[in-house]
Amino acid sequence: MAKILVIEDEKNLRLLYKQDLERDGYEVVTAADAPEGIRLVESEHPDLPGMDGLEAMGRVLDRHPRLPVVLNSAYSSYQDSFMSWAADAYVVKSADTDELRSRVRDLLDARAAG
């Protein structure tokens, strides 16, 4: 079972993402902020961390450059930021988790195949 780290500061979205991803069969670890998420990357060794924040993503990728990352933000302007280009996928926050779950599944399938 793949382990996913969700870093999300909004409690309701964090719980929604956790529930939906667990329903898809993943083990889900959650963090409320970037510092906690960075600590969990080291202790939990997720197969895919979800990042909330470009700085956190950069710090994780500096230490784990092959770890796939889905950047999930309420701001579509993040897609234009040079730092966001390091993410393997970009999803605009929504209560509809279909796109997020699809990107997670695609990245983990590609990782397993490669």
Side-chain angles (χ1 to χ4, degrees):
M1 171 186 314
K3 183 185 292 187
I4 298 171
L5 170 60
V6 172
I7 304 172
E8 173 54 59
D9 59 344
E10 295 179 37
K11 182 179 179 180
N12 290 336
L13 281 177
R14 188 169 59 246
L15 294 173
L16 175 66
Y17 297 158
K18 179 177 173 51
Q19 290 172 344
D20 283 359
L21 291 166
E22 285 178 340
R23 200 172 306 125
D24 286 348
Y26 302 112
E27 179 181 351
V28 180
V29 179
T30 64
D33 58 33
E36 180 184 9
I38 290 168
R39 284 191 302 276
L40 287 172
V41 166
E42 298 303 323
S43 66
E44 295 289 332
H45 308 288
D47 297 294
L48 190 150
M51 290 286 114
D52 181 7
L54 294 176
E55 182 181 353
M57 180 184 69
R59 290 173 60 185
V60 168
L61 290 176
D62 280 347
R63 298 185 85 183
H64 305 278
R66 300 177 77 188
L67 196 60
V69 172
V70 175
L71 184 60
N72 184 42
S73 174
Y75 307 104
S76 60
S77 62
Y78 267 79
Q79 290 176 306
D80 299 330
S81 169
F82 176 74
M83 287 191 65
S84 72
W85 297 354
D88 295 279
Y90 183 92
V91 178
V92 176
K93 281 185 187 179
S94 170
D96 180 354
T97 62
D98 289 344
E99 182 180 6
L100 175 66
R101 292 168 43 229
S102 175
R103 297 294 179 114
V104 166
R105 185 174 38 256
D106 292 347
L107 285 170
L108 290 173
D109 287 350
R111 187 175 191 199

